[in-house]
Amino acid sequence: MTEQTKYRHTGRINPSKYAHMRWLYLILGFIVFALGVIGAVLPVMPTAPFILLAAGCWARGSKRFYLWLINHKHMGKYIRDWEERRAVPRRAKWLACIMMGFSSSMLLWTVPEAKAWVAWTVALVCFCVGVYLWRLPDA
């Protein structure tokens, strides 16, 4: 890839005007990016929210890392789709809903009756997240 085509997409870069806030966004971006990478390997943690949050942090803290992320071979398309149209791939919607349903079912099955309200609260939150996801356009 040549230097001219390296950063095709510029996205929405809005750096903070305060240096200490840029450092905070930069460090927070690295932390949530690391959590997103861990989430790509572990089935328990989500990947997409952490990567989107890292993009948001880096858009405020580091032009270099933000441009690297939105032009990334695998993750860049999802970030650009989200920024341009607030769109989520259909496959991701299905996978998220299946995992939330499975997790809620396991929680309802394993939690003692005295703490059932916790499991039902988690199930309700997962249901609301699923409704929100399916209301978004497909990428």
mmCIF file of all heavy atoms in Angstrom, residues 61-112:
data_model
loop_
_atom_site.group_PDB
_atom_site.id
_atom_site.type_symbol
_atom_site.label_atom_id
_atom_site.label_comp_id
_atom_site.label_asym_id
_atom_site.label_seq_id
_atom_site.Cartn_x
_atom_site.Cartn_y
_atom_site.Cartn_z
ATOM 1 N N GLY A 61 -8.507 11.680 20.541
ATOM 2 C CA GLY A 61 -7.185 11.731 21.141
ATOM 3 C C GLY A 61 -6.005 11.550 20.212
ATOM 4 O O GLY A 61 -4.931 12.079 20.471
ATOM 5 N N SER A 62 -6.171 10.782 19.117
ATOM 6 C CA SER A 62 -5.035 10.489 18.258
ATOM 7 C C SER A 62 -5.487 10.268 16.817
ATOM 8 O O SER A 62 -6.111 9.254 16.506
ATOM 9 C CB SER A 62 -4.305 9.244 18.753
ATOM 10 O OG SER A 62 -3.330 8.849 17.818
ATOM 11 N N LYS A 63 -5.152 11.206 15.972
ATOM 12 C CA LYS A 63 -5.504 11.091 14.554
ATOM 13 C C LYS A 63 -4.844 9.855 13.945
ATOM 14 O O LYS A 63 -5.474 9.126 13.182
ATOM 15 C CB LYS A 63 -5.065 12.354 13.817
ATOM 16 C CG LYS A 63 -5.354 12.345 12.355
ATOM 17 C CD LYS A 63 -4.915 13.656 11.703
ATOM 18 C CE LYS A 63 -5.186 13.619 10.219
ATOM 19 N NZ LYS A 63 -4.771 14.859 9.574
ATOM 20 N N ARG A 64 -3.611 9.604 14.299
ATOM 21 C CA ARG A 64 -2.852 8.485 13.728
ATOM 22 C C ARG A 64 -3.515 7.139 14.024
ATOM 23 O O ARG A 64 -3.732 6.339 13.123
ATOM 24 C CB ARG A 64 -1.438 8.515 14.287
ATOM 25 C CG ARG A 64 -0.598 7.359 13.859
ATOM 26 C CD ARG A 64 0.776 7.477 14.470
ATOM 27 N NE ARG A 64 1.431 6.196 14.456
ATOM 28 C CZ ARG A 64 2.459 5.887 15.197
ATOM 29 N NH1 ARG A 64 2.965 6.779 16.021
ATOM 30 N NH2 ARG A 64 2.995 4.709 15.133
ATOM 31 N N PHE A 65 -3.846 6.887 15.294
ATOM 32 C CA PHE A 65 -4.440 5.601 15.646
ATOM 33 C C PHE A 65 -5.870 5.483 15.141
ATOM 34 O O PHE A 65 -6.315 4.407 14.759
ATOM 35 C CB PHE A 65 -4.388 5.367 17.154
ATOM 36 C CG PHE A 65 -3.002 5.095 17.637
ATOM 37 C CD1 PHE A 65 -2.365 5.980 18.477
ATOM 38 C CD2 PHE A 65 -2.321 3.952 17.234
ATOM 39 C CE1 PHE A 65 -1.075 5.744 18.913
ATOM 40 C CE2 PHE A 65 -1.034 3.713 17.667
ATOM 41 C CZ PHE A 65 -0.410 4.602 18.508
ATOM 42 N N TYR A 66 -6.595 6.589 15.112
ATOM 43 C CA TYR A 66 -7.955 6.571 14.577
ATOM 44 C C TYR A 66 -7.945 6.205 13.093
ATOM 45 O O TYR A 66 -8.709 5.344 12.654
ATOM 46 C CB TYR A 66 -8.626 7.927 14.786
ATOM 47 C CG TYR A 66 -9.980 8.018 14.148
ATOM 48 C CD1 TYR A 66 -11.062 7.346 14.690
ATOM 49 C CD2 TYR A 66 -10.175 8.763 12.994
ATOM 50 C CE1 TYR A 66 -12.308 7.420 14.101
ATOM 51 C CE2 TYR A 66 -11.419 8.846 12.410
ATOM 52 C CZ TYR A 66 -12.479 8.166 12.964
ATOM 53 O OH TYR A 66 -13.712 8.229 12.377
ATOM 54 N N LEU A 67 -7.070 6.841 12.328
ATOM 55 C CA LEU A 67 -6.983 6.530 10.902
ATOM 56 C C LEU A 67 -6.525 5.094 10.674
ATOM 57 O O LEU A 67 -6.988 4.419 9.756
ATOM 58 C CB LEU A 67 -6.057 7.518 10.195
ATOM 59 C CG LEU A 67 -6.581 8.950 10.100
ATOM 60 C CD1 LEU A 67 -5.528 9.858 9.485
ATOM 61 C CD2 LEU A 67 -7.876 9.001 9.327
ATOM 62 N N TRP A 68 -5.624 4.622 11.523
ATOM 63 C CA TRP A 68 -5.190 3.223 11.409
ATOM 64 C C TRP A 68 -6.376 2.290 11.625
ATOM 65 O O TRP A 68 -6.551 1.328 10.885
ATOM 66 C CB TRP A 68 -4.091 2.924 12.428
ATOM 67 C CG TRP A 68 -3.779 1.470 12.517
ATOM 68 C CD1 TRP A 68 -3.007 0.740 11.649
ATOM 69 C CD2 TRP A 68 -4.246 0.538 13.494
ATOM 70 N NE1 TRP A 68 -2.969 -0.571 12.044
ATOM 71 C CE2 TRP A 68 -3.723 -0.723 13.170
ATOM 72 C CE3 TRP A 68 -5.059 0.663 14.617
ATOM 73 C CZ2 TRP A 68 -3.995 -1.856 13.929
ATOM 74 C CZ3 TRP A 68 -5.317 -0.459 15.368
ATOM 75 C CH2 TRP A 68 -4.795 -1.694 15.019
ATOM 76 N N LEU A 69 -7.203 2.591 12.620
ATOM 77 C CA LEU A 69 -8.319 1.713 12.960
ATOM 78 C C LEU A 69 -9.409 1.732 11.896
ATOM 79 O O LEU A 69 -9.907 0.676 11.502
ATOM 80 C CB LEU A 69 -8.894 2.101 14.319
ATOM 81 C CG LEU A 69 -9.903 1.147 14.938
ATOM 82 C CD1 LEU A 69 -9.311 -0.249 15.100
ATOM 83 C CD2 LEU A 69 -10.367 1.668 16.272
ATOM 84 N N ILE A 70 -9.789 2.899 11.395
ATOM 85 C CA ILE A 70 -10.873 2.923 10.407
ATOM 86 C C ILE A 70 -10.427 2.427 9.041
ATOM 87 O O ILE A 70 -11.261 2.106 8.205
ATOM 88 C CB ILE A 70 -11.547 4.310 10.287
ATOM 89 C CG1 ILE A 70 -10.604 5.336 9.697
ATOM 90 C CG2 ILE A 70 -12.121 4.744 11.587
ATOM 91 C CD1 ILE A 70 -11.306 6.614 9.287
ATOM 92 N N ASN A 71 -9.124 2.349 8.808
ATOM 93 C CA ASN A 71 -8.618 1.795 7.561
ATOM 94 C C ASN A 71 -8.087 0.376 7.737
ATOM 95 O O ASN A 71 -7.461 -0.166 6.830
ATOM 96 C CB ASN A 71 -7.526 2.696 6.980
ATOM 97 C CG ASN A 71 -8.112 3.987 6.483
ATOM 98 O OD1 ASN A 71 -8.913 3.997 5.569
ATOM 99 N ND2 ASN A 71 -7.745 5.086 7.118
ATOM 100 N N HIS A 72 -8.348 -0.215 8.898
ATOM 101 C CA HIS A 72 -7.894 -1.578 9.174
ATOM 102 C C HIS A 72 -8.610 -2.561 8.244
ATOM 103 O O HIS A 72 -9.784 -2.385 7.911
ATOM 104 C CB HIS A 72 -8.180 -1.938 10.634
ATOM 105 C CG HIS A 72 -7.516 -3.189 11.068
ATOM 106 N ND1 HIS A 72 -8.129 -4.416 10.959
ATOM 107 C CD2 HIS A 72 -6.306 -3.413 11.610
ATOM 108 C CE1 HIS A 72 -7.318 -5.346 11.431
ATOM 109 N NE2 HIS A 72 -6.196 -4.761 11.828
ATOM 110 N N LYS A 73 -7.896 -3.583 7.843
ATOM 111 C CA LYS A 73 -8.416 -4.561 6.885
ATOM 112 C C LYS A 73 -9.691 -5.242 7.386
ATOM 113 O O LYS A 73 -10.637 -5.427 6.623
ATOM 114 C CB LYS A 73 -7.329 -5.606 6.619
ATOM 115 C CG LYS A 73 -7.721 -6.676 5.650
ATOM 116 C CD LYS A 73 -6.577 -7.652 5.451
ATOM 117 C CE LYS A 73 -6.971 -8.785 4.539
ATOM 118 N NZ LYS A 73 -5.897 -9.757 4.379
ATOM 119 N N HIS A 74 -9.748 -5.619 8.650
ATOM 120 C CA HIS A 74 -10.887 -6.376 9.169
ATOM 121 C C HIS A 74 -11.878 -5.518 9.950
ATOM 122 O O HIS A 74 -13.083 -5.697 9.818
ATOM 123 C CB HIS A 74 -10.403 -7.513 10.078
ATOM 124 C CG HIS A 74 -9.509 -8.474 9.373
ATOM 125 N ND1 HIS A 74 -9.952 -9.319 8.381
ATOM 126 C CD2 HIS A 74 -8.185 -8.715 9.495
ATOM 127 C CE1 HIS A 74 -8.948 -10.036 7.930
ATOM 128 N NE2 HIS A 74 -7.856 -9.686 8.587
ATOM 129 N N MET A 75 -11.405 -4.607 10.755
ATOM 130 C CA MET A 75 -12.292 -3.845 11.637
ATOM 131 C C MET A 75 -12.775 -2.538 11.034
ATOM 132 O O MET A 75 -13.797 -1.999 11.451
ATOM 133 C CB MET A 75 -11.574 -3.556 12.959
ATOM 134 C CG MET A 75 -11.272 -4.794 13.759
ATOM 135 S SD MET A 75 -10.340 -4.433 15.239
ATOM 136 C CE MET A 75 -8.680 -4.370 14.598
ATOM 137 N N GLY A 76 -12.068 -2.011 10.076
ATOM 138 C CA GLY A 76 -12.387 -0.697 9.533
ATOM 139 C C GLY A 76 -13.761 -0.593 8.909
ATOM 140 O O GLY A 76 -14.449 0.416 9.075
ATOM 141 N N LYS A 77 -14.184 -1.625 8.198
ATOM 142 C CA LYS A 77 -15.484 -1.581 7.525
ATOM 143 C C LYS A 77 -16.625 -1.407 8.526
ATOM 144 O O LYS A 77 -17.552 -0.635 8.301
ATOM 145 C CB LYS A 77 -15.695 -2.854 6.716
ATOM 146 C CG LYS A 77 -17.008 -2.884 5.976
ATOM 147 C CD LYS A 77 -17.192 -4.188 5.238
ATOM 148 C CE LYS A 77 -18.472 -4.239 4.452
ATOM 149 N NZ LYS A 77 -19.652 -3.744 5.086
ATOM 150 N N TYR A 78 -16.551 -2.101 9.645
ATOM 151 C CA TYR A 78 -17.613 -2.010 10.648
ATOM 152 C C TYR A 78 -17.678 -0.616 11.270
ATOM 153 O O TYR A 78 -18.773 -0.089 11.508
ATOM 154 C CB TYR A 78 -17.404 -3.064 11.740
ATOM 155 C CG TYR A 78 -17.378 -4.464 11.177
ATOM 156 C CD1 TYR A 78 -16.218 -5.216 11.194
ATOM 157 C CD2 TYR A 78 -18.518 -5.012 10.607
ATOM 158 C CE1 TYR A 78 -16.189 -6.492 10.666
ATOM 159 C CE2 TYR A 78 -18.499 -6.286 10.069
ATOM 160 C CZ TYR A 78 -17.332 -7.019 10.107
ATOM 161 O OH TYR A 78 -17.307 -8.269 9.574
ATOM 162 N N ILE A 79 -16.524 -0.033 11.502
ATOM 163 C CA ILE A 79 -16.487 1.309 12.088
ATOM 164 C C ILE A 79 -17.018 2.331 11.090
ATOM 165 O O ILE A 79 -17.815 3.202 11.441
ATOM 166 C CB ILE A 79 -15.060 1.672 12.532
ATOM 167 C CG1 ILE A 79 -14.620 0.708 13.633
ATOM 168 C CG2 ILE A 79 -14.979 3.109 13.011
ATOM 169 C CD1 ILE A 79 -13.154 0.748 13.921
ATOM 170 N N ARG A 80 -16.610 2.217 9.830
ATOM 171 C CA ARG A 80 -17.095 3.153 8.815
ATOM 172 C C ARG A 80 -18.604 3.013 8.621
ATOM 173 O O ARG A 80 -19.311 4.014 8.500
ATOM 174 C CB ARG A 80 -16.353 2.934 7.500
ATOM 175 C CG ARG A 80 -14.903 3.369 7.564
ATOM 176 C CD ARG A 80 -14.246 3.338 6.202
ATOM 177 N NE ARG A 80 -14.312 2.037 5.553
ATOM 178 C CZ ARG A 80 -13.390 1.085 5.656
ATOM 179 N NH1 ARG A 80 -12.328 1.288 6.416
ATOM 180 N NH2 ARG A 80 -13.508 -0.052 5.012
ATOM 181 N N ASP A 81 -19.114 1.772 8.597
ATOM 182 C CA ASP A 81 -20.563 1.571 8.476
ATOM 183 C C ASP A 81 -21.304 2.215 9.644
ATOM 184 O O ASP A 81 -22.351 2.821 9.468
ATOM 185 C CB ASP A 81 -20.909 0.080 8.430
ATOM 186 C CG ASP A 81 -20.582 -0.546 7.096
ATOM 187 O OD1 ASP A 81 -20.425 0.191 6.100
ATOM 188 O OD2 ASP A 81 -20.476 -1.794 7.038
ATOM 189 N N TRP A 82 -20.759 2.071 10.839
ATOM 190 C CA TRP A 82 -21.405 2.655 12.015
ATOM 191 C C TRP A 82 -21.370 4.181 11.960
ATOM 192 O O TRP A 82 -22.370 4.844 12.230
ATOM 193 C CB TRP A 82 -20.736 2.147 13.291
ATOM 194 C CG TRP A 82 -21.346 2.744 14.515
ATOM 195 C CD1 TRP A 82 -20.831 3.741 15.279
ATOM 196 C CD2 TRP A 82 -22.606 2.412 15.096
ATOM 197 N NE1 TRP A 82 -21.690 4.038 16.307
ATOM 198 C CE2 TRP A 82 -22.789 3.240 16.216
ATOM 199 C CE3 TRP A 82 -23.599 1.490 14.772
ATOM 200 C CZ2 TRP A 82 -23.922 3.178 17.016
ATOM 201 C CZ3 TRP A 82 -24.728 1.420 15.574
ATOM 202 C CH2 TRP A 82 -24.871 2.251 16.675
ATOM 203 N N GLU A 83 -20.233 4.747 11.602
ATOM 204 C CA GLU A 83 -20.119 6.207 11.567
ATOM 205 C C GLU A 83 -20.957 6.832 10.456
ATOM 206 O O GLU A 83 -21.526 7.896 10.640
ATOM 207 C CB GLU A 83 -18.660 6.620 11.397
ATOM 208 C CG GLU A 83 -17.851 6.468 12.648
ATOM 209 C CD GLU A 83 -16.438 6.999 12.484
ATOM 210 O OE1 GLU A 83 -16.016 7.280 11.347
ATOM 211 O OE2 GLU A 83 -15.770 7.136 13.517
ATOM 212 N N GLU A 84 -21.030 6.170 9.309
ATOM 213 C CA GLU A 84 -21.739 6.751 8.171
ATOM 214 C C GLU A 84 -23.247 6.569 8.266
ATOM 215 O O GLU A 84 -23.998 7.472 7.932
ATOM 216 C CB GLU A 84 -21.222 6.137 6.872
ATOM 217 C CG GLU A 84 -19.795 6.539 6.555
ATOM 218 C CD GLU A 84 -19.182 5.709 5.436
ATOM 219 O OE1 GLU A 84 -19.910 4.891 4.821
ATOM 220 O OE2 GLU A 84 -17.980 5.853 5.190
ATOM 221 N N ARG A 85 -23.699 5.358 8.686
ATOM 222 C CA ARG A 85 -25.139 5.076 8.645
ATOM 223 C C ARG A 85 -25.694 4.472 9.922
ATOM 224 O O ARG A 85 -26.855 4.085 9.952
ATOM 225 C CB ARG A 85 -25.427 4.091 7.500
ATOM 226 C CG ARG A 85 -25.007 4.568 6.153
ATOM 227 C CD ARG A 85 -25.308 3.524 5.136
ATOM 228 N NE ARG A 85 -24.986 2.198 5.675
ATOM 229 C CZ ARG A 85 -24.539 1.200 4.974
ATOM 230 N NH1 ARG A 85 -24.385 1.323 3.704
ATOM 231 N NH2 ARG A 85 -24.274 0.041 5.521
ATOM 232 N N ARG A 86 -24.874 4.334 10.967
ATOM 233 C CA ARG A 86 -25.290 3.645 12.190
ATOM 234 C C ARG A 86 -25.805 2.254 11.842
ATOM 235 O O ARG A 86 -26.843 1.806 12.338
ATOM 236 C CB ARG A 86 -26.376 4.418 12.943
ATOM 237 C CG ARG A 86 -25.945 5.749 13.479
ATOM 238 C CD ARG A 86 -24.988 5.547 14.642
ATOM 239 N NE ARG A 86 -24.704 6.784 15.341
ATOM 240 C CZ ARG A 86 -23.516 7.373 15.310
ATOM 241 N NH1 ARG A 86 -22.547 6.872 14.603
ATOM 242 N NH2 ARG A 86 -23.297 8.466 15.987
ATOM 243 N N ALA A 87 -25.080 1.554 10.968
ATOM 244 C CA ALA A 87 -25.492 0.247 10.464
ATOM 245 C C ALA A 87 -24.674 -0.865 11.106
ATOM 246 O O ALA A 87 -23.494 -0.701 11.393
ATOM 247 C CB ALA A 87 -25.321 0.198 8.947
ATOM 248 N N VAL A 88 -25.330 -2.011 11.322
ATOM 249 C CA VAL A 88 -24.707 -3.193 11.910
ATOM 250 C C VAL A 88 -24.965 -4.370 10.963
ATOM 251 O O VAL A 88 -26.089 -4.526 10.473
ATOM 252 C CB VAL A 88 -25.314 -3.493 13.305
ATOM 253 C CG1 VAL A 88 -24.732 -4.755 13.901
ATOM 254 C CG2 VAL A 88 -25.100 -2.319 14.233
ATOM 255 N N PRO A 89 -23.945 -5.196 10.694
ATOM 256 C CA PRO A 89 -24.169 -6.345 9.807
ATOM 257 C C PRO A 89 -25.217 -7.304 10.372
ATOM 258 O O PRO A 89 -25.293 -7.514 11.588
ATOM 259 C CB PRO A 89 -22.806 -7.037 9.738
ATOM 260 C CG PRO A 89 -21.826 -6.033 10.206
ATOM 261 C CD PRO A 89 -22.551 -5.103 11.114
ATOM 262 N N ARG A 90 -26.016 -7.880 9.505
ATOM 263 C CA ARG A 90 -27.068 -8.805 9.924
ATOM 264 C C ARG A 90 -26.497 -9.995 10.679
ATOM 265 O O ARG A 90 -27.076 -10.461 11.656
ATOM 266 C CB ARG A 90 -27.865 -9.280 8.716
ATOM 267 C CG ARG A 90 -29.063 -10.113 9.115
ATOM 268 C CD ARG A 90 -29.911 -10.402 7.926
ATOM 269 N NE ARG A 90 -30.519 -9.165 7.486
ATOM 270 C CZ ARG A 90 -31.826 -8.987 7.395
ATOM 271 N NH1 ARG A 90 -32.634 -9.938 7.702
ATOM 272 N NH2 ARG A 90 -32.309 -7.847 6.986
ATOM 273 N N ARG A 91 -25.357 -10.487 10.231
ATOM 274 C CA ARG A 91 -24.719 -11.622 10.899
ATOM 275 C C ARG A 91 -24.378 -11.270 12.351
ATOM 276 O O ARG A 91 -24.566 -12.083 13.259
ATOM 277 C CB ARG A 91 -23.457 -12.027 10.142
ATOM 278 C CG ARG A 91 -22.725 -13.189 10.747
ATOM 279 C CD ARG A 91 -21.514 -13.573 9.875
ATOM 280 N NE ARG A 91 -20.798 -14.661 10.462
ATOM 281 C CZ ARG A 91 -19.768 -14.536 11.297
ATOM 282 N NH1 ARG A 91 -19.333 -13.340 11.621
ATOM 283 N NH2 ARG A 91 -19.164 -15.595 11.789
ATOM 284 N N ALA A 92 -23.917 -10.050 12.574
ATOM 285 C CA ALA A 92 -23.587 -9.607 13.930
ATOM 286 C C ALA A 92 -24.843 -9.497 14.787
ATOM 287 O O ALA A 92 -24.816 -9.818 15.981
ATOM 288 C CB ALA A 92 -22.850 -8.274 13.884
ATOM 289 N N LYS A 93 -25.940 -9.063 14.184
ATOM 290 C CA LYS A 93 -27.198 -8.975 14.925
ATOM 291 C C LYS A 93 -27.653 -10.364 15.374
ATOM 292 O O LYS A 93 -28.044 -10.561 16.521
ATOM 293 C CB LYS A 93 -28.285 -8.342 14.055
ATOM 294 C CG LYS A 93 -28.067 -6.888 13.750
ATOM 295 C CD LYS A 93 -29.165 -6.389 12.843
ATOM 296 C CE LYS A 93 -28.935 -4.976 12.405
ATOM 297 N NZ LYS A 93 -30.008 -4.480 11.535
ATOM 298 N N TRP A 94 -27.617 -11.316 14.447
ATOM 299 C CA TRP A 94 -28.014 -12.687 14.787
ATOM 300 C C TRP A 94 -27.110 -13.264 15.863
ATOM 301 O O TRP A 94 -27.588 -13.862 16.839
ATOM 302 C CB TRP A 94 -27.995 -13.591 13.550
ATOM 303 C CG TRP A 94 -29.232 -13.484 12.736
ATOM 304 C CD1 TRP A 94 -29.368 -12.877 11.525
ATOM 305 C CD2 TRP A 94 -30.524 -13.979 13.078
ATOM 306 N NE1 TRP A 94 -30.656 -12.970 11.094
ATOM 307 C CE2 TRP A 94 -31.393 -13.654 12.032
ATOM 308 C CE3 TRP A 94 -31.029 -14.671 14.169
ATOM 309 C CZ2 TRP A 94 -32.743 -13.994 12.044
ATOM 310 C CZ3 TRP A 94 -32.373 -15.008 14.181
ATOM 311 C CH2 TRP A 94 -33.204 -14.665 13.124
ATOM 312 N N LEU A 95 -25.821 -13.107 15.686
ATOM 313 C CA LEU A 95 -24.877 -13.656 16.651
ATOM 314 C C LEU A 95 -25.064 -13.033 18.029
ATOM 315 O O LEU A 95 -25.081 -13.739 19.047
ATOM 316 C CB LEU A 95 -23.443 -13.448 16.158
ATOM 317 C CG LEU A 95 -22.338 -14.064 17.002
ATOM 318 C CD1 LEU A 95 -22.490 -15.576 17.059
ATOM 319 C CD2 LEU A 95 -20.986 -13.703 16.439
ATOM 320 N N ALA A 96 -25.251 -11.725 18.075
ATOM 321 C CA ALA A 96 -25.444 -11.047 19.361
ATOM 322 C C ALA A 96 -26.720 -11.531 20.040
ATOM 323 O O ALA A 96 -26.721 -11.815 21.244
ATOM 324 C CB ALA A 96 -25.489 -9.533 19.149
ATOM 325 N N CYS A 97 -27.803 -11.646 19.280
ATOM 326 C CA CYS A 97 -29.068 -12.081 19.882
ATOM 327 C C CYS A 97 -29.007 -13.534 20.343
ATOM 328 O O CYS A 97 -29.535 -13.876 21.405
ATOM 329 C CB CYS A 97 -30.212 -11.870 18.898
ATOM 330 S SG CYS A 97 -30.609 -10.123 18.685
ATOM 331 N N ILE A 98 -28.360 -14.387 19.572
ATOM 332 C CA ILE A 98 -28.217 -15.786 19.976
ATOM 333 C C ILE A 98 -27.383 -15.890 21.246
ATOM 334 O O ILE A 98 -27.748 -16.609 22.187
ATOM 335 C CB ILE A 98 -27.610 -16.617 18.826
ATOM 336 C CG1 ILE A 98 -28.639 -16.774 17.706
ATOM 337 C CG2 ILE A 98 -27.132 -17.980 19.329
ATOM 338 C CD1 ILE A 98 -28.068 -17.349 16.420
ATOM 339 N N MET A 99 -26.268 -15.159 21.299
ATOM 340 C CA MET A 99 -25.419 -15.206 22.490
ATOM 341 C C MET A 99 -26.118 -14.611 23.708
ATOM 342 O O MET A 99 -26.002 -15.144 24.817
ATOM 343 C CB MET A 99 -24.098 -14.485 22.227
ATOM 344 C CG MET A 99 -23.209 -15.164 21.208
ATOM 345 S SD MET A 99 -22.816 -16.862 21.632
ATOM 346 C CE MET A 99 -21.775 -16.619 23.035
ATOM 347 N N MET A 100 -26.857 -13.511 23.523
ATOM 348 C CA MET A 100 -27.584 -12.931 24.651
ATOM 349 C C MET A 100 -28.690 -13.866 25.123
ATOM 350 O O MET A 100 -28.920 -14.012 26.330
ATOM 351 C CB MET A 100 -28.166 -11.565 24.271
ATOM 352 C CG MET A 100 -27.127 -10.477 24.181
ATOM 353 S SD MET A 100 -27.821 -8.827 23.940
ATOM 354 C CE MET A 100 -28.605 -8.956 22.352
ATOM 355 N N GLY A 101 -29.371 -14.520 24.182
ATOM 356 C CA GLY A 101 -30.415 -15.481 24.559
ATOM 357 C C GLY A 101 -29.835 -16.672 25.307
ATOM 358 O O GLY A 101 -30.383 -17.109 26.328
ATOM 359 N N PHE A 102 -28.727 -17.186 24.816
ATOM 360 C CA PHE A 102 -28.069 -18.310 25.475
ATOM 361 C C PHE A 102 -27.582 -17.914 26.872
ATOM 362 O O PHE A 102 -27.802 -18.641 27.847
ATOM 363 C CB PHE A 102 -26.891 -18.802 24.618
ATOM 364 C CG PHE A 102 -26.136 -19.939 25.236
ATOM 365 C CD1 PHE A 102 -26.680 -21.206 25.286
ATOM 366 C CD2 PHE A 102 -24.880 -19.727 25.775
ATOM 367 C CE1 PHE A 102 -25.985 -22.253 25.873
ATOM 368 C CE2 PHE A 102 -24.175 -20.758 26.360
ATOM 369 C CZ PHE A 102 -24.731 -22.034 26.412
ATOM 370 N N SER A 103 -26.948 -16.758 26.969
ATOM 371 C CA SER A 103 -26.445 -16.293 28.266
ATOM 372 C C SER A 103 -27.581 -16.064 29.255
ATOM 373 O O SER A 103 -27.480 -16.451 30.429
ATOM 374 C CB SER A 103 -25.655 -14.994 28.096
ATOM 375 O OG SER A 103 -24.561 -15.192 27.258
ATOM 376 N N SER A 104 -28.668 -15.446 28.801
ATOM 377 C CA SER A 104 -29.807 -15.210 29.684
ATOM 378 C C SER A 104 -30.434 -16.517 30.132
ATOM 379 O O SER A 104 -30.807 -16.677 31.300
ATOM 380 C CB SER A 104 -30.852 -14.347 28.975
ATOM 381 O OG SER A 104 -30.331 -13.084 28.683
ATOM 382 N N SER A 105 -30.552 -17.466 29.210
ATOM 383 C CA SER A 105 -31.118 -18.772 29.561
ATOM 384 C C SER A 105 -30.262 -19.487 30.598
ATOM 385 O O SER A 105 -30.789 -20.051 31.568
ATOM 386 C CB SER A 105 -31.250 -19.648 28.315
ATOM 387 O OG SER A 105 -32.085 -19.047 27.384
ATOM 388 N N MET A 106 -28.945 -19.464 30.389
ATOM 389 C CA MET A 106 -28.053 -20.113 31.352
ATOM 390 C C MET A 106 -28.127 -19.418 32.711
ATOM 391 O O MET A 106 -28.099 -20.085 33.750
ATOM 392 C CB MET A 106 -26.614 -20.110 30.836
ATOM 393 C CG MET A 106 -26.392 -21.014 29.641
ATOM 394 S SD MET A 106 -26.829 -22.717 29.953
ATOM 395 C CE MET A 106 -25.642 -23.154 31.190
ATOM 396 N N LEU A 107 -28.232 -18.114 32.709
ATOM 397 C CA LEU A 107 -28.335 -17.377 33.960
ATOM 398 C C LEU A 107 -29.640 -17.712 34.683
ATOM 399 O O LEU A 107 -29.647 -17.960 35.885
ATOM 400 C CB LEU A 107 -28.227 -15.874 33.695
ATOM 401 C CG LEU A 107 -28.074 -14.970 34.900
ATOM 402 C CD1 LEU A 107 -26.799 -15.315 35.673
ATOM 403 C CD2 LEU A 107 -28.032 -13.529 34.467
ATOM 404 N N LEU A 108 -30.745 -17.743 33.943
ATOM 405 C CA LEU A 108 -32.028 -18.085 34.549
ATOM 406 C C LEU A 108 -32.022 -19.506 35.108
ATOM 407 O O LEU A 108 -32.670 -19.792 36.115
ATOM 408 C CB LEU A 108 -33.154 -17.924 33.528
ATOM 409 C CG LEU A 108 -33.535 -16.487 33.191
ATOM 410 C CD1 LEU A 108 -34.400 -16.436 31.952
ATOM 411 C CD2 LEU A 108 -34.251 -15.843 34.360
ATOM 412 N N TRP A 109 -31.300 -20.384 34.462
ATOM 413 C CA TRP A 109 -31.256 -21.783 34.868
ATOM 414 C C TRP A 109 -30.367 -22.004 36.088
ATOM 415 O O TRP A 109 -30.654 -22.857 36.924
ATOM 416 C CB TRP A 109 -30.776 -22.632 33.692
ATOM 417 C CG TRP A 109 -30.823 -24.099 33.929
ATOM 418 C CD1 TRP A 109 -31.893 -24.847 34.326
ATOM 419 C CD2 TRP A 109 -29.739 -25.001 33.781
ATOM 420 N NE1 TRP A 109 -31.549 -26.156 34.428
ATOM 421 C CE2 TRP A 109 -30.218 -26.287 34.093
ATOM 422 C CE3 TRP A 109 -28.420 -24.862 33.403
ATOM 423 C CZ2 TRP A 109 -29.420 -27.411 34.042
ATOM 424 C CZ3 TRP A 109 -27.629 -25.991 33.340
ATOM 425 C CH2 TRP A 109 -28.131 -27.242 33.663
ATOM 426 N N THR A 110 -29.284 -21.225 36.206
ATOM 427 C CA THR A 110 -28.299 -21.483 37.263
ATOM 428 C C THR A 110 -28.452 -20.608 38.508
ATOM 429 O O THR A 110 -27.941 -20.966 39.558
ATOM 430 C CB THR A 110 -26.865 -21.287 36.721
ATOM 431 O OG1 THR A 110 -26.724 -19.966 36.228
ATOM 432 C CG2 THR A 110 -26.550 -22.295 35.636
ATOM 433 N N VAL A 111 -29.142 -19.496 38.414
ATOM 434 C CA VAL A 111 -29.266 -18.595 39.563
ATOM 435 C C VAL A 111 -30.305 -19.162 40.540
ATOM 436 O O VAL A 111 -31.369 -19.617 40.126
ATOM 437 C CB VAL A 111 -29.671 -17.180 39.087
ATOM 438 C CG1 VAL A 111 -30.090 -16.307 40.232
ATOM 439 C CG2 VAL A 111 -28.539 -16.547 38.330
ATOM 440 N N PRO A 112 -30.007 -19.131 41.833
ATOM 441 C CA PRO A 112 -30.990 -19.601 42.814
ATOM 442 C C PRO A 112 -32.248 -18.728 42.807
ATOM 443 O O PRO A 112 -32.210 -17.567 42.399
ATOM 444 C CB PRO A 112 -30.263 -19.493 44.156
ATOM 445 C CG PRO A 112 -28.980 -18.821 43.901
ATOM 446 C CD PRO A 112 -28.762 -18.710 42.439
#
